[in-house]
Amino acid sequence: MLLGCIADDFTGATDLASMLVEEGIKTIQFIGVPTKAHLDAARGYDAVVVALKSRTTPVAEAVALSRQALDWLREAGAEQIFFKYCSTFDSTPDGNIGPVADMLATEIGASITVVSPALPANGRTVYKGHLFVGDQPLDESGMRDHPLTPMTDSSLIRLLAAQTPARVDLVDHGTVRQGRGAIRARLDAMADIGVRYAVIDVIVDADLVEIGAACTGLKFVSGGSGLGLGIARNLSSKGSGALRVSITGPAAVISGSCSLATNRQVALMQAKGLPTYRIDPMALANDPDAVVSHFLDWAAPQLGDAPILVYATATPDKVRQVQQKLGVAASGQLVESTLARIAKELVERGVRRLIVAGGETSGAVVGALGIDALAIGATIAPGVPWTIADVNGSKVALALKSGNFGPVDFFLSAWEKLS
């Protein structure tokens, strides 16, 4: 196995897997920590991505799950370990990126690792150690209002230093422009003086390719899916090729993300006159069974080739109003569990193509469907592939989309990639 990956959420895992597949790296994704029984399923794949739900869990739980994933990947023979987090570095002052990375580096015996969340194709770049979303610094973007991990600083060095006792420093773009040799020399020099984490400037995809090459031989790397692109491109000569996805049947979009990108995607689907149904969290708090039942009655006559949309997506002010009444954790759990229940009901009613928007929502949906593995297919948009899962003996195509990812017409155009 060329690469063993640990991702801190489900959409982030498929995001990384899609980058690997695009470069000819045959990839399988496991949902949660695999067991010994999954070792056979992993044979024949160049890369394995283990999708955890550890981004916003308590630190100790995130570390424990990641350690279990590491143990499995090492038993499976992974030559290099990749810790994947979001391209917007979603975290809090307590973690979980720093504590998980500290554990992995210690267990693996890595003296230094790169820190590279950048994904230029989706507007995530790093300059002078500051993370940008499009033209905006991270702390001025929509991530400032994220309901679970509000990002109020753009400096990756400061953000990570608050989460780890280890030393953090920068590989600036002047070095990156000089190519892989200069990058590797800088990494080696940083390791010699006790730096464990090397934040790296990235402005264009070509930078990622050079960084990926510079990481050759490192036991442990960390970053977003963009770094996966760089590493995969330098492994592509060893890859086995991609999987083709072709599944027909009724289609649905399930959206729990409240990101700016997903709000726009929902609005366009509404503007196009396609069937849409809004889940009201306050109504859920009063009678969740009634909400689900009403939705299913509404959906039944509309299921077909054209997708329907069920969503709890809302603007930041609406999200805050609900959180103030129900509590942050309770409101999120209520929406996620309901959308997951709806997904299960839809599949039981014959839906075979699903788009799910939002990392937490995606995790809840795959859990409700009993999915423990995803074969990775064609990329729909940067960072989002179609995948195939077995659900009670039926093949179901799923696209698990991070809230901030995808063009405005994502919910409308994704289906073309299934044929």
Side-chain angles (χ1 to χ4, degrees):
M1 187 189 302
L2 300 175
L3 193 63
C5 310
I6 301 169
D8 66 0
D9 85 336
F10 292 93
T11 56
T14 53
D15 171 14
L16 173 59
S18 73
M19 294 292 182
L20 302 178
V21 168
E22 282 291 289
E23 299 302 322
I25 306 299
K26 189 177 181 182
T27 305
I28 188 170
Q29 175 179 325
F30 291 112
I31 311 301
V33 178
T35 66
K36 287 186 179 295
H38 290 104
L39 289 170
D40 284 341
R43 290 195 177 94
Y45 284 90
D46 306 316
V48 168
V49 181
V50 177
L52 303 178
K53 193 177 180 181
S54 58
R55 180 171 298 170
T56 57
T57 60
V59 170
E61 181 181 341
V63 170
L65 284 171
S66 301
R67 180 180 283 111
Q68 293 170 29
L70 172 65
D71 290 344
W72 188 93
L73 288 168
R74 294 171 88 176
E75 183 176 357
E79 295 178 7
Q80 186 177 55
I81 300 297
F82 188 146
F83 172 36
K84 195 276 176 193
Y85 36 78
C86 189
S87 62
T88 45
F89 211 70
D90 296 26
S91 55
T92 70
D94 296 323
N96 290 341
I97 294 174
V100 170
D102 284 342
M103 179 276 296
L104 293 171
T106 299
E107 292 290 323
I108 294 167
S111 59
I112 192 164
T113 188
V114 297
V115 176
S116 180
L119 183 59
N122 274 0
R124 278 55 161 176
T125 55
V126 178
Y127 184 66
K128 299 295 183 184
H130 288 262
L131 181 57
F132 288 79
V133 178
D135 294 333
Q136 296 178 309
L138 178 65
D139 57 327
E140 296 177 18
S141 73
M143 285 301 299
R144 184 177 184 86
D145 297 312
H146 193 286
L148 297 177
T149 53
M151 303 305 294
T152 57
D153 194 349
S154 66
S155 169
L156 294 173
I157 292 176
R158 285 196 297 265
L159 287 168
L160 187 55
Q163 300 177 35
T164 174
R167 190 170 170 183
V168 187
D169 208 340
L170 176 69
V171 179
D172 68 18
H173 200 253
T175 301
V176 174
R177 279 201 309 265
Q178 296 176 51
R180 60 198 67 184
I183 297 168
R184 186 54 181 263
R186 171 68 172 146
L187 293 176
D188 290 343
M190 293 166 80
D192 287 343
I193 60 172
V195 174
R196 172 174 276 182
Y197 298 112
V199 172
I200 304 189
D201 281 350
V202 174
I203 297 176
V204 294
D205 282 348
D207 296 337
L208 294 168
V209 176
E210 295 305 308
I211 294 166
C215 289
T216 300
L218 293 185
K219 297 178 182 178
F220 172 47
V221 295
S222 84
S225 60
L227 180 61
L229 179 151
I231 288 175
R233 192 159 295 179
N234 286 282
L235 293 174
S236 60
S237 63
K238 303 177 182 179
S240 305
L243 175 72
R244 181 174 174 80
V245 177
S246 181
I247 291 179
T248 59
V253 179
I254 298 174
S255 179
S257 169
C258 292
S259 71
L260 291 175
T262 302
N263 269 283
R264 292 173 183 142
Q265 290 157 354
V266 167
L268 182 61
M269 199 162 170
Q270 291 170 325
K272 294 292 186 181
L274 289 166
T276 63
Y277 187 101
R278 178 178 176 270
I279 297 293
D280 181 356
M282 300 309 298
L284 278 182
N286 293 328
D287 192 344
D289 290 341
V291 171
V292 173
S293 178
H294 187 271
F295 164 76
L296 292 172
D297 289 343
W298 170 87
Q302 306 189 76
L303 293 177
D305 289 339
I308 65 168
L309 166 67
V310 53
Y311 68 100
T313 300
T315 57
D317 59 321
K318 296 292 185 184
V319 172
R320 282 191 291 269
Q321 289 175 19
V322 172
Q323 289 176 337
Q324 287 169 0
K325 292 182 179 179
L326 302 180
V328 175
S331 59
Q333 175 61 30
L334 185 61
V335 169
E336 289 165 23
S337 62
T338 300
L339 292 176
R341 180 179 168 187
I342 283 172
K344 184 177 180 182
E345 295 282 358
L346 288 173
V347 171
E348 289 177 354
R349 286 161 172 75
V351 169
R352 293 294 177 262
R353 299 177 294 154
L354 272 176
I355 294 174
V356 186
E360 300 300 319
T361 305
S362 294
V365 166
V366 297
L369 294 177
I371 296 170
D372 63 2
L374 295 166
I376 308 301
T379 296
I380 306 165
V384 191
W386 277 111
T387 70
I388 297 177
D390 187 291
V391 181
N392 297 325
S394 297
K395 297 296 183 185
V396 177
L398 297 104
L400 307 175
K401 185 191 84 71
S402 177
N404 286 302
F405 277 18
V408 68
D409 67 344
F410 182 89
F411 292 160
L412 302 174
S413 62
W415 317 99
E416 300 168 5
K417 299 285 187 175
L418 277 173
S419 56

